[in-house]
Amino acid sequence: MNPTETLLLDAGVWVAAKDADDRYHEAARALALDVKRPVASLDLTLYETANVVGGRWGRPAAARELCRSIVKRCGERLLPVGAELIDAAVEIAAEHGLTAYDAAYVAAARRHGWTLVSADVADLVSRGLAVAPDAADYPLAG
């Protein structure tokens, strides 16, 4: 599989896939479930999704289920946030005025040549640093 066909899904995409009221629900769900399409995430994604679904929504069982789904779906493409990624994220955060969380996704996508998919229109999509879930449904190279 061509690495450029891999989609790096941030926490907002995984949460949107679980939230039927989210504007990106259908597109995010399709990306999360399409096993023909390689996807990746960062280990921090697990904490972010657990925070929203388990903490904010008060649904700990759903949070555990979602986190397990992310681990299973990403497999070897669930990346740890290490020193090199943090270094790159800090530079990107300063350059674009982003949180370290958002910048870590940008740094990982750049490092691996992946497309970053995010539901964060204000900070990532509008700046051209990511594509929205409904714009990420590219045909796979044959």
Side-chain angles (χ1 to χ4, degrees):
M1 182 73 52
N2 182 341
T4 60
E5 294 177 345
T6 298
L7 302 176
L8 177 61
L9 307 183
D10 77 359
V13 175
W14 294 104
V15 170
K18 196 77 173 163
D19 181 1
D21 294 329
D22 191 282
R23 71 186 259 196
Y24 293 120
H25 174 70
E26 291 301 322
R29 185 169 165 77
L31 293 171
L33 295 177
D34 180 4
V35 296
K36 294 178 188 167
R37 166 74 66 191
V39 298
S41 277
L42 302 178
D43 58 0
L44 69 89
T45 307
L46 301 174
Y47 296 100
E48 290 183 291
T49 56
N51 184 53
V52 172
V53 178
R56 193 175 315 155
W57 296 357
R59 297 176 53 202
R64 287 190 297 274
E65 176 189 346
L66 180 56
C67 288
R68 287 187 184 108
S69 296
I70 293 168
V71 170
K72 183 177 180 180
R73 177 73 171 89
C74 294
E76 294 178 358
R77 291 179 305 272
L78 183 63
L79 304 179
V81 177
E84 289 181 22
L85 189 62
I86 290 294
D87 289 346
V90 168
E91 293 298 322
I92 291 167
E95 177 185 348
H96 294 283
L98 299 173
T99 65
Y101 294 107
D102 287 344
Y105 288 107
V106 175
R110 288 179 179 176
R111 170 170 289 148
H112 294 280
W114 296 337
T115 299
L116 175 57
V117 183
S118 178
D120 187 343
V121 174
D123 292 328
L124 297 174
V125 176
S126 68
R127 297 177 188 198
L129 300 170
V131 297
D134 60 357
D137 191 18
Y138 308 116
L140 291 171

